[in-house]
Amino acid sequence: MSSMWGERIRISIFGGSHTAAIGVTVDGLPAGEPIDLEAVARQMARRAPGTTPTATARRESDRPQILCGLLDGVLTGAPLTAVLENRDTRSKDYSDLKRHPRPGHADYTAFVRYGGFNDIRGGGHFSGRLTAPLVFAGAVARQILARRGVFAASHVLSVGPVTDRSLDPVQPEPALLERLSQETFPVLDPAVRTWMEEAIASARAQGDSLGGVVEAIVAGLPAGLGDPMFDGVENLFASLLFGIPAVKGVEFGAGFAAAGMTGSQNNDPFYTDGSGCVRTRGNHAGGSLGGITTGMPVVFRVAFKPTPSIAQEQETVDLSTGESARLTVSGRHDPCIVPRAAPVVEAAACLAALELMARQGLLTQRRGPRGE
Ligand SMILES: Cc1cc2nc3c(=O)[nH]c(=O)nc-3n(C[C@H](O)[C@H](O)[C@H](O)COP(=O)(O)O)c2cc1C
């Protein structure tokens, strides 16, 4: 299985939903960076299960245990490894799924790919639980970026038919980004959150689930990061974002809407601001031209499908006989993944941004004993 990513900042995620633990090793981080573990814990808590009515009832503390790479709260430069215990597992809920794959989940494809040897419990390595280590790695990256003036935030742009307004892609308010990056169900318009919660509750009551869109922004990246064709900003971000389970689409800037515009509508005119910086009036480009950052915020939207595990009876096949069968999925599931996915999207964005900066030699190591 390939659960490794990165050239300069390399992450390797391990474990399964019901294994003893899950975790991540992050290699390539600059030595001497202080890491505030309480701030990391706050990011982990935004994604943790069992804390809101719109999430699965599974309860996990998600307090990371750091095995190596951090000494007295400062990165040593050696690989950073963190593990999270799996405690609240109910593996018997999943015993039937090896024969009767869930429509929309990876049970069938994993069965074919791994000859039936894959760990089916809780979705195994395909579980959304594997995004907890990603959030850990992203939370560390976030602190290194913040010291260099780079900030990431996101909000739930839509849940089913309910839509929030969009972020300002040109000049986002730093205070707004700070607020969003701390919330468990980040939205721009608080009234919309209530409607989204109601839509999720109603889908759950009908044994169904909802999908939606997370809109995210990375502000403060300098112009000139990235490369054309296969190593562009969009390629790098998308490679991580498509690693998040249930992601079915990623668009940058105006995205698919750009296809319906004229050139004069879509082009972002250049100007020089008061400090001599080249900027653009709009940001349909989403902060990337030719795969290289423009210096404007990188703005993108990520589409999540509805949670595949739903309580309604569905049609499936019995993989041992090939005959058709009926399946009612048990176990505890998110009726909508999207609110919990927002911090995961931000974590992916932070890692992609850090990788871009590292490739350009912008992660200079701090000097002096213990990073002073
Ligand atoms: C944070 C998060 C939580 C998730 N929770 C569930 C869940 O409770 N039940 C479920 O069936 N799928 C859940 N998923 C989605 C599945 O893991 C995913 O749909 C499945 O692995 C198949 O992969 P694919 O949708 O990318 O094709 C979750 C995904 C994320 C990111």
Side-chain angles (χ1 to χ4, degrees), residues 47 56 94 102 104-106 123 126-129 131 242 244-248 304-310 332-335 337 340-341 344:
R47 194 220 67 95
T56 168
Y94 294 85
R102 284 169 291 179
H105 214 292
F126 296 86
S127 169
R129 177 132 186 82
T131 56
F242 277 116
I244 302 172
V247 169
K248 294 307 277 186
F304 285 86
K305 72 186 195 184
T307 316
S309 299
I310 54 173
R332 297 161 296 174
H333 299 280
D334 294 286
I337 293 157
R340 292 183 64 210
V344 183

mmCIF file of all heavy atoms in Angstrom, residues 47 56 94 102 104-106 123 126-129 131 242 244-248 304-310 332-335 337 340-341 344, ligand 1:
data_model
loop_
_atom_site.group_PDB
_atom_site.id
_atom_site.type_symbol
_atom_site.label_atom_id
_atom_site.label_comp_id
_atom_site.label_asym_id
_atom_site.label_seq_id
_atom_site.Cartn_x
_atom_site.Cartn_y
_atom_site.Cartn_z
ATOM 1 N N ARG A 47 -11.062 17.461 14.523
ATOM 2 C CA ARG A 47 -11.401 16.322 13.664
ATOM 3 C C ARG A 47 -11.917 15.121 14.451
ATOM 4 O O ARG A 47 -12.551 14.213 13.882
ATOM 5 C CB ARG A 47 -10.138 15.913 12.876
ATOM 6 C CG ARG A 47 -10.343 14.975 11.708
ATOM 7 C CD ARG A 47 -9.243 13.924 11.638
ATOM 8 N NE ARG A 47 -9.335 13.039 12.781
ATOM 9 C CZ ARG A 47 -9.965 11.870 12.778
ATOM 10 N NH1 ARG A 47 -10.527 11.410 11.683
ATOM 11 N NH2 ARG A 47 -10.037 11.132 13.896
ATOM 12 N N THR A 56 -19.769 10.679 13.888
ATOM 13 C CA THR A 56 -19.925 9.322 14.399
ATOM 14 C C THR A 56 -19.884 9.333 15.934
ATOM 15 O O THR A 56 -19.225 10.180 16.540
ATOM 16 C CB THR A 56 -18.800 8.402 13.867
ATOM 17 O OG1 THR A 56 -18.827 7.180 14.601
ATOM 18 C CG2 THR A 56 -17.430 9.012 14.006
ATOM 19 N N TYR A 94 -18.321 -5.332 11.857
ATOM 20 C CA TYR A 94 -17.833 -5.360 10.473
ATOM 21 C C TYR A 94 -17.641 -6.769 9.919
ATOM 22 O O TYR A 94 -17.243 -6.937 8.772
ATOM 23 C CB TYR A 94 -16.497 -4.605 10.396
ATOM 24 C CG TYR A 94 -16.680 -3.136 10.691
ATOM 25 C CD1 TYR A 94 -16.682 -2.658 11.992
ATOM 26 C CD2 TYR A 94 -16.903 -2.240 9.665
ATOM 27 C CE1 TYR A 94 -16.896 -1.317 12.272
ATOM 28 C CE2 TYR A 94 -17.113 -0.894 9.928
ATOM 29 C CZ TYR A 94 -17.106 -0.443 11.236
ATOM 30 O OH TYR A 94 -17.317 0.877 11.500
ATOM 31 N N ARG A 102 -19.902 -3.110 1.192
ATOM 32 C CA ARG A 102 -20.782 -1.928 1.239
ATOM 33 C C ARG A 102 -20.726 -1.173 -0.081
ATOM 34 O O ARG A 102 -19.625 -0.822 -0.528
ATOM 35 C CB ARG A 102 -20.318 -0.960 2.350
ATOM 36 C CG ARG A 102 -20.658 -1.379 3.737
ATOM 37 C CD ARG A 102 -19.917 -0.506 4.754
ATOM 38 N NE ARG A 102 -18.483 -0.765 4.749
ATOM 39 C CZ ARG A 102 -17.595 -0.151 5.507
ATOM 40 N NH1 ARG A 102 -17.995 0.798 6.342
ATOM 41 N NH2 ARG A 102 -16.320 -0.456 5.456
ATOM 42 N N GLY A 104 -20.358 1.861 -2.326
ATOM 43 C CA GLY A 104 -19.772 3.186 -2.071
ATOM 44 C C GLY A 104 -18.525 3.159 -1.229
ATOM 45 O O GLY A 104 -17.801 4.160 -1.159
ATOM 46 N N HIS A 105 -18.238 2.037 -0.547
ATOM 47 C CA HIS A 105 -17.024 1.956 0.274
ATOM 48 C C HIS A 105 -15.970 1.137 -0.470
ATOM 49 O O HIS A 105 -16.212 0.686 -1.595
ATOM 50 C CB HIS A 105 -17.338 1.369 1.652
ATOM 51 C CG HIS A 105 -16.473 1.954 2.740
ATOM 52 N ND1 HIS A 105 -15.118 1.714 2.818
ATOM 53 C CD2 HIS A 105 -16.766 2.777 3.772
ATOM 54 C CE1 HIS A 105 -14.608 2.359 3.853
ATOM 55 N NE2 HIS A 105 -15.593 3.040 4.453
ATOM 56 N N ALA A 106 -14.799 0.960 0.168
ATOM 57 C CA ALA A 106 -13.685 0.292 -0.514
ATOM 58 C C ALA A 106 -13.648 -1.214 -0.240
ATOM 59 O O ALA A 106 -12.672 -1.876 -0.613
ATOM 60 C CB ALA A 106 -12.378 0.940 -0.072
ATOM 61 N N GLY A 123 -13.194 -0.508 8.263
ATOM 62 C CA GLY A 123 -12.688 0.058 7.010
ATOM 63 C C GLY A 123 -11.183 -0.086 6.887
ATOM 64 O O GLY A 123 -10.597 0.321 5.876
ATOM 65 N N PHE A 126 -8.472 1.995 4.931
ATOM 66 C CA PHE A 126 -9.261 2.905 4.087
ATOM 67 C C PHE A 126 -10.116 3.851 4.926
ATOM 68 O O PHE A 126 -10.819 4.697 4.385
ATOM 69 C CB PHE A 126 -10.170 2.098 3.145
ATOM 70 C CG PHE A 126 -9.403 1.270 2.163
ATOM 71 C CD1 PHE A 126 -8.960 0.001 2.498
ATOM 72 C CD2 PHE A 126 -9.085 1.776 0.912
ATOM 73 C CE1 PHE A 126 -8.233 -0.759 1.601
ATOM 74 C CE2 PHE A 126 -8.354 1.023 0.008
ATOM 75 C CZ PHE A 126 -7.926 -0.257 0.356
ATOM 76 N N SER A 127 -10.078 3.661 6.232
ATOM 77 C CA SER A 127 -10.972 4.413 7.117
ATOM 78 C C SER A 127 -10.628 5.901 7.180
ATOM 79 O O SER A 127 -9.447 6.294 7.112
ATOM 80 C CB SER A 127 -10.865 3.821 8.526
ATOM 81 O OG SER A 127 -11.501 4.663 9.450
ATOM 82 N N GLY A 128 -11.665 6.721 7.388
ATOM 83 C CA GLY A 128 -11.463 8.146 7.625
ATOM 84 C C GLY A 128 -10.629 8.395 8.875
ATOM 85 O O GLY A 128 -10.069 9.481 9.058
ATOM 86 N N ARG A 129 -10.513 7.377 9.738
ATOM 87 C CA ARG A 129 -9.704 7.511 10.952
ATOM 88 C C ARG A 129 -8.234 7.791 10.623
ATOM 89 O O ARG A 129 -7.522 8.400 11.400
ATOM 90 C CB ARG A 129 -9.862 6.230 11.784
ATOM 91 C CG ARG A 129 -9.034 6.200 13.037
ATOM 92 C CD ARG A 129 -9.769 5.798 14.275
ATOM 93 N NE ARG A 129 -8.906 5.931 15.455
ATOM 94 C CZ ARG A 129 -8.691 7.060 16.100
ATOM 95 N NH1 ARG A 129 -9.299 8.165 15.731
ATOM 96 N NH2 ARG A 129 -7.884 7.104 17.148
ATOM 97 N N THR A 131 -7.141 9.843 8.792
ATOM 98 C CA THR A 131 -6.875 11.269 8.596
ATOM 99 C C THR A 131 -6.432 11.937 9.908
ATOM 100 O O THR A 131 -5.974 13.071 9.887
ATOM 101 C CB THR A 131 -8.121 12.009 8.045
ATOM 102 O OG1 THR A 131 -9.231 11.813 8.912
ATOM 103 C CG2 THR A 131 -8.467 11.520 6.651
ATOM 104 N N PHE A 242 -6.517 14.346 -2.768
ATOM 105 C CA PHE A 242 -7.169 13.119 -3.238
ATOM 106 C C PHE A 242 -6.798 11.913 -2.376
ATOM 107 O O PHE A 242 -7.377 10.841 -2.530
ATOM 108 C CB PHE A 242 -6.869 12.866 -4.718
ATOM 109 C CG PHE A 242 -7.779 13.646 -5.637
ATOM 110 C CD1 PHE A 242 -7.281 14.624 -6.476
ATOM 111 C CD2 PHE A 242 -9.145 13.396 -5.657
ATOM 112 C CE1 PHE A 242 -8.121 15.357 -7.317
ATOM 113 C CE2 PHE A 242 -10.001 14.121 -6.486
ATOM 114 C CZ PHE A 242 -9.488 15.099 -7.317
ATOM 115 N N ILE A 244 -7.327 12.012 0.760
ATOM 116 C CA ILE A 244 -8.329 12.038 1.841
ATOM 117 C C ILE A 244 -9.512 11.191 1.382
ATOM 118 O O ILE A 244 -10.072 11.447 0.314
ATOM 119 C CB ILE A 244 -8.793 13.490 2.130
ATOM 120 C CG1 ILE A 244 -7.601 14.371 2.506
ATOM 121 C CG2 ILE A 244 -9.852 13.502 3.234
ATOM 122 C CD1 ILE A 244 -7.942 15.865 2.620
ATOM 123 N N PRO A 245 -9.904 10.168 2.173
ATOM 124 C CA PRO A 245 -11.024 9.327 1.749
ATOM 125 C C PRO A 245 -12.282 10.153 1.507
ATOM 126 O O PRO A 245 -12.541 11.125 2.225
ATOM 127 C CB PRO A 245 -11.227 8.372 2.926
ATOM 128 C CG PRO A 245 -9.956 8.400 3.680
ATOM 129 C CD PRO A 245 -9.339 9.742 3.465
ATOM 130 N N ALA A 246 -13.029 9.785 0.475
ATOM 131 C CA ALA A 246 -14.326 10.387 0.103
ATOM 132 C C ALA A 246 -14.204 11.665 -0.727
ATOM 133 O O ALA A 246 -15.213 12.250 -1.083
ATOM 134 C CB ALA A 246 -15.221 10.635 1.314
ATOM 135 N N VAL A 247 -12.961 12.089 -1.056
ATOM 136 C CA VAL A 247 -12.799 13.266 -1.925
ATOM 137 C C VAL A 247 -13.022 12.854 -3.381
ATOM 138 O O VAL A 247 -12.411 11.902 -3.861
ATOM 139 C CB VAL A 247 -11.384 13.883 -1.756
ATOM 140 C CG1 VAL A 247 -11.103 14.925 -2.839
ATOM 141 C CG2 VAL A 247 -11.264 14.510 -0.379
ATOM 142 N N LYS A 248 -13.916 13.535 -4.058
ATOM 143 C CA LYS A 248 -14.221 13.200 -5.452
ATOM 144 C C LYS A 248 -13.891 14.339 -6.412
ATOM 145 O O LYS A 248 -13.977 14.158 -7.627
ATOM 146 C CB LYS A 248 -15.706 12.819 -5.622
ATOM 147 C CG LYS A 248 -16.102 11.544 -4.910
ATOM 148 C CD LYS A 248 -15.221 10.358 -5.248
ATOM 149 C CE LYS A 248 -15.579 9.625 -6.518
ATOM 150 N NZ LYS A 248 -14.745 8.386 -6.670
ATOM 151 N N PHE A 304 -16.684 16.449 -1.297
ATOM 152 C CA PHE A 304 -16.779 15.172 -0.566
ATOM 153 C C PHE A 304 -18.090 14.491 -0.918
ATOM 154 O O PHE A 304 -19.152 15.124 -0.906
ATOM 155 C CB PHE A 304 -16.732 15.412 0.952
ATOM 156 C CG PHE A 304 -15.359 15.734 1.443
ATOM 157 C CD1 PHE A 304 -14.885 17.035 1.419
ATOM 158 C CD2 PHE A 304 -14.520 14.736 1.916
ATOM 159 C CE1 PHE A 304 -13.600 17.339 1.847
ATOM 160 C CE2 PHE A 304 -13.235 15.022 2.344
ATOM 161 C CZ PHE A 304 -12.775 16.335 2.317
ATOM 162 N N LYS A 305 -18.019 13.217 -1.202
ATOM 163 C CA LYS A 305 -19.247 12.465 -1.484
ATOM 164 C C LYS A 305 -19.984 12.183 -0.174
ATOM 165 O O LYS A 305 -19.400 12.307 0.918
ATOM 166 C CB LYS A 305 -18.900 11.168 -2.214
ATOM 167 C CG LYS A 305 -18.232 10.099 -1.342
ATOM 168 C CD LYS A 305 -17.807 8.923 -2.213
ATOM 169 C CE LYS A 305 -17.471 7.703 -1.399
ATOM 170 N NZ LYS A 305 -16.970 6.593 -2.250
ATOM 171 N N PRO A 306 -21.266 11.789 -0.254
ATOM 172 C CA PRO A 306 -21.975 11.427 0.970
ATOM 173 C C PRO A 306 -21.349 10.176 1.591
ATOM 174 O O PRO A 306 -20.850 9.314 0.855
ATOM 175 C CB PRO A 306 -23.404 11.124 0.486
ATOM 176 C CG PRO A 306 -23.458 11.525 -0.936
ATOM 177 C CD PRO A 306 -22.072 11.658 -1.462
ATOM 178 N N THR A 307 -21.351 10.084 2.907
ATOM 179 C CA THR A 307 -20.790 8.911 3.597
ATOM 180 C C THR A 307 -21.392 7.635 3.018
ATOM 181 O O THR A 307 -22.613 7.493 2.952
ATOM 182 C CB THR A 307 -21.146 8.965 5.103
ATOM 183 O OG1 THR A 307 -20.942 10.288 5.565
ATOM 184 C CG2 THR A 307 -20.334 7.972 5.897
ATOM 185 N N PRO A 308 -20.548 6.687 2.591
ATOM 186 C CA PRO A 308 -21.120 5.470 1.994
ATOM 187 C C PRO A 308 -21.896 4.589 2.972
ATOM 188 O O PRO A 308 -22.898 3.972 2.566
ATOM 189 C CB PRO A 308 -19.893 4.723 1.452
ATOM 190 C CG PRO A 308 -18.690 5.449 1.916
ATOM 191 C CD PRO A 308 -19.094 6.780 2.433
ATOM 192 N N SER A 309 -21.466 4.491 4.237
ATOM 193 C CA SER A 309 -22.161 3.597 5.182
ATOM 194 C C SER A 309 -23.442 4.265 5.662
ATOM 195 O O SER A 309 -23.406 5.188 6.482
ATOM 196 C CB SER A 309 -21.275 3.291 6.393
ATOM 197 O OG SER A 309 -20.116 2.650 5.959
ATOM 198 N N ILE A 310 -24.569 3.793 5.136
ATOM 199 C CA ILE A 310 -25.874 4.341 5.525
ATOM 200 C C ILE A 310 -26.722 3.216 6.116
ATOM 201 O O ILE A 310 -26.453 2.040 5.860
ATOM 202 C CB ILE A 310 -26.597 4.995 4.318
ATOM 203 C CG1 ILE A 310 -26.700 4.005 3.145
ATOM 204 C CG2 ILE A 310 -25.882 6.268 3.886
ATOM 205 C CD1 ILE A 310 -27.533 4.509 1.980
ATOM 206 N N ARG A 332 -20.951 2.441 13.718
ATOM 207 C CA ARG A 332 -21.170 3.882 13.950
ATOM 208 C C ARG A 332 -20.506 4.670 12.829
ATOM 209 O O ARG A 332 -19.345 4.441 12.527
ATOM 210 C CB ARG A 332 -20.584 4.249 15.318
ATOM 211 C CG ARG A 332 -21.285 3.529 16.458
ATOM 212 C CD ARG A 332 -20.440 3.512 17.709
ATOM 213 N NE ARG A 332 -19.217 2.753 17.539
ATOM 214 C CZ ARG A 332 -18.253 2.665 18.442
ATOM 215 N NH1 ARG A 332 -18.376 3.307 19.577
ATOM 216 N NH2 ARG A 332 -17.172 1.954 18.203
ATOM 217 N N HIS A 333 -21.257 5.556 12.232
ATOM 218 C CA HIS A 333 -20.745 6.272 11.048
ATOM 219 C C HIS A 333 -21.114 7.748 11.089
ATOM 220 O O HIS A 333 -22.110 8.138 11.693
ATOM 221 C CB HIS A 333 -21.289 5.623 9.783
ATOM 222 C CG HIS A 333 -20.879 4.191 9.650
ATOM 223 N ND1 HIS A 333 -19.641 3.832 9.187
ATOM 224 C CD2 HIS A 333 -21.519 3.041 9.978
ATOM 225 C CE1 HIS A 333 -19.536 2.514 9.225
ATOM 226 N NE2 HIS A 333 -20.653 2.012 9.701
ATOM 227 N N ASP A 334 -20.303 8.542 10.375
ATOM 228 C CA ASP A 334 -20.610 9.966 10.237
ATOM 229 C C ASP A 334 -21.763 10.119 9.253
ATOM 230 O O ASP A 334 -21.623 9.689 8.101
ATOM 231 C CB ASP A 334 -19.401 10.716 9.653
ATOM 232 C CG ASP A 334 -18.215 10.725 10.590
ATOM 233 O OD1 ASP A 334 -18.265 11.468 11.574
ATOM 234 O OD2 ASP A 334 -17.239 9.993 10.338
ATOM 235 N N PRO A 335 -22.861 10.763 9.632
ATOM 236 C CA PRO A 335 -23.920 10.996 8.639
ATOM 237 C C PRO A 335 -23.489 12.003 7.573
ATOM 238 O O PRO A 335 -24.078 12.065 6.505
ATOM 239 C CB PRO A 335 -25.090 11.532 9.471
ATOM 240 C CG PRO A 335 -24.473 12.052 10.730
ATOM 241 C CD PRO A 335 -23.211 11.270 10.963
ATOM 242 N N ILE A 337 -19.508 13.640 6.373
ATOM 243 C CA ILE A 337 -18.066 13.702 6.649
ATOM 244 C C ILE A 337 -17.550 15.145 6.687
ATOM 245 O O ILE A 337 -16.561 15.452 7.340
ATOM 246 C CB ILE A 337 -17.320 12.942 5.512
ATOM 247 C CG1 ILE A 337 -17.621 11.457 5.566
ATOM 248 C CG2 ILE A 337 -15.830 13.192 5.547
ATOM 249 C CD1 ILE A 337 -17.407 10.751 4.241
ATOM 250 N N ARG A 340 -16.049 17.345 9.749
ATOM 251 C CA ARG A 340 -14.804 16.768 10.288
ATOM 252 C C ARG A 340 -13.675 16.831 9.267
ATOM 253 O O ARG A 340 -12.495 16.739 9.640
ATOM 254 C CB ARG A 340 -15.046 15.311 10.714
ATOM 255 C CG ARG A 340 -15.959 15.178 11.922
ATOM 256 C CD ARG A 340 -16.090 13.732 12.335
ATOM 257 N NE ARG A 340 -14.834 13.185 12.784
ATOM 258 C CZ ARG A 340 -14.491 11.891 12.665
ATOM 259 N NH1 ARG A 340 -15.328 11.041 12.105
ATOM 260 N NH2 ARG A 340 -13.338 11.474 13.111
ATOM 261 N N ALA A 341 -14.028 16.942 7.989
ATOM 262 C CA ALA A 341 -13.004 16.936 6.945
ATOM 263 C C ALA A 341 -12.322 18.296 6.792
ATOM 264 O O ALA A 341 -11.210 18.367 6.244
ATOM 265 C CB ALA A 341 -13.616 16.513 5.617
ATOM 266 N N VAL A 344 -8.943 18.431 8.112
ATOM 267 C CA VAL A 344 -8.091 17.503 7.345
ATOM 268 C C VAL A 344 -7.612 18.194 6.063
ATOM 269 O O VAL A 344 -6.441 18.094 5.681
ATOM 270 C CB VAL A 344 -8.864 16.207 7.006
ATOM 271 C CG1 VAL A 344 -7.943 15.227 6.289
ATOM 272 C CG2 VAL A 344 -9.474 15.573 8.250
HETATM 273 C C1 LIG B 1 -13.059 12.338 8.365
HETATM 274 C C2 LIG B 1 -13.686 11.206 7.587
HETATM 275 C C3 LIG B 1 -14.616 10.382 8.202
HETATM 276 C C4 LIG B 1 -15.229 9.339 7.498
HETATM 277 N N1 LIG B 1 -16.159 8.579 8.144
HETATM 278 C C5 LIG B 1 -16.789 7.584 7.456
HETATM 279 C C6 LIG B 1 -17.796 6.799 8.089
HETATM 280 O O1 LIG B 1 -18.122 7.005 9.269
HETATM 281 N N2 LIG B 1 -18.384 5.815 7.379
HETATM 282 C C7 LIG B 1 -18.054 5.575 6.061
HETATM 283 O O2 LIG B 1 -18.629 4.683 5.450
HETATM 284 N N3 LIG B 1 -17.122 6.321 5.437
HETATM 285 C C8 LIG B 1 -16.485 7.301 6.097
HETATM 286 N N4 LIG B 1 -15.525 8.053 5.449
HETATM 287 C C9 LIG B 1 -15.293 7.838 4.010
HETATM 288 C C10 LIG B 1 -14.618 6.514 3.665
HETATM 289 O O3 LIG B 1 -13.422 6.349 4.394
HETATM 290 C C11 LIG B 1 -14.375 6.453 2.150
HETATM 291 O O4 LIG B 1 -15.524 6.779 1.441
HETATM 292 C C12 LIG B 1 -13.937 5.042 1.740
HETATM 293 O O5 LIG B 1 -12.654 4.757 2.284
HETATM 294 C C13 LIG B 1 -13.854 4.842 0.225
HETATM 295 O O6 LIG B 1 -12.918 5.717 -0.346
HETATM 296 P P1 LIG B 1 -13.341 6.784 -1.459
HETATM 297 O O7 LIG B 1 -14.650 7.352 -1.036
HETATM 298 O O8 LIG B 1 -12.233 7.790 -1.474
HETATM 299 O O9 LIG B 1 -13.462 6.030 -2.760
HETATM 300 C C14 LIG B 1 -14.888 9.095 6.138
HETATM 301 C C15 LIG B 1 -13.923 9.913 5.523
HETATM 302 C C16 LIG B 1 -13.332 10.969 6.232
HETATM 303 C C17 LIG B 1 -12.337 11.857 5.544
#
